[in-house]
Amino acid sequence: MKADTWFIRLEHPCDEAAVDALQAAAFGPGRFARTAFRIREGIPHDERLSYVGLAGDQVAGSVRLTRIRIGDTPAMLLGPLTVAPEYKNRGLGKLLMRTALDEARRLGETAVLLVGDPPYYGPFGFDPVPFGRIVMPGPVDPNRLLVAMLDGSPMPSGLVRGGAV
């Protein structure tokens, strides 16, 4: 089997429709009711930390980071990470993750929070959040709440709020 070659670049405004289509295919219409989507509602994703993966000229995957606060600590919320069904399990999601996390670290971000599967995200440095330490403003499976401390600082605690307020 031929190895895939991906081109990763910052997301451009012209990618919005393609990224929305990826998210709709991955998460369906119920995605807007999910807590992580609600936190991001009305808050633009960080243009410095949002990437698309291209297969030729097609947007095949996307990852976004959005500014949040955990208690008083500035942090980023990762997601959604999406890959088109025809490109799944070919390394694109992992490449998008590495790209976003490496750049977040380079820019001095300290913490990245997400809701996801520990076996997938653990190798990227994400650890489970001890129950009650970080509180989402809506229902979340506590076994899927993960955080990566990019600079080795202690895990923050408190309520998650969207934006840099």
Side-chain angles (χ1 to χ4, degrees), residues 35 39 67-75 77 113 129 132-140 145 156-163 165:
T35 298
I39 291 169
R67 186 144 313 279
I68 61 169
R69 289 185 94 61
I70 302 170
D72 293 328
T73 304
L77 180 64
L113 184 70
V129 173
R133 181 168 182 120
I134 296 176
V135 180
M136 297 287 270
V140 169
L145 189 58
S157 63
L159 179 65
V160 175
R161 298 183 322 268
V165 272

Side-chain angles (χ1 to χ4, degrees), residues 7 18 25-26 31 76 106-107 153:
F7 179 72
R31 68 190 179 279
M76 302 302 286
R106 190 189 75 73
L107 291 173
S153 61

Side-chain angles (χ1 to χ4, degrees), residues 92-147:
L92 178 56
K94 291 177 180 173
L95 183 57
L96 285 163
M97 281 292 300
R98 275 190 238 102
T99 301
L101 292 174
D102 287 350
E103 184 64 3
R105 188 176 288 107
R106 190 189 75 73
L107 291 173
E109 298 297 337
T110 59
V112 178
L113 184 70
L114 64 79
V115 179
D117 296 320
Y120 182 84
Y121 292 103
F124 296 104
F126 284 87
D127 294 313
V129 173
F131 185 77
R133 181 168 182 120
I134 296 176
V135 180
M136 297 287 270
V140 169
D141 178 348
N143 297 316
R144 294 174 42 87
L145 189 58
L146 309 171
V147 67

Side-chain angles (χ1 to χ4, degrees), residues 22 42-43 77 84 98 118 125 151:
L22 286 173
I43 300 166
L77 180 64
R98 275 190 238 102
D151 66 349

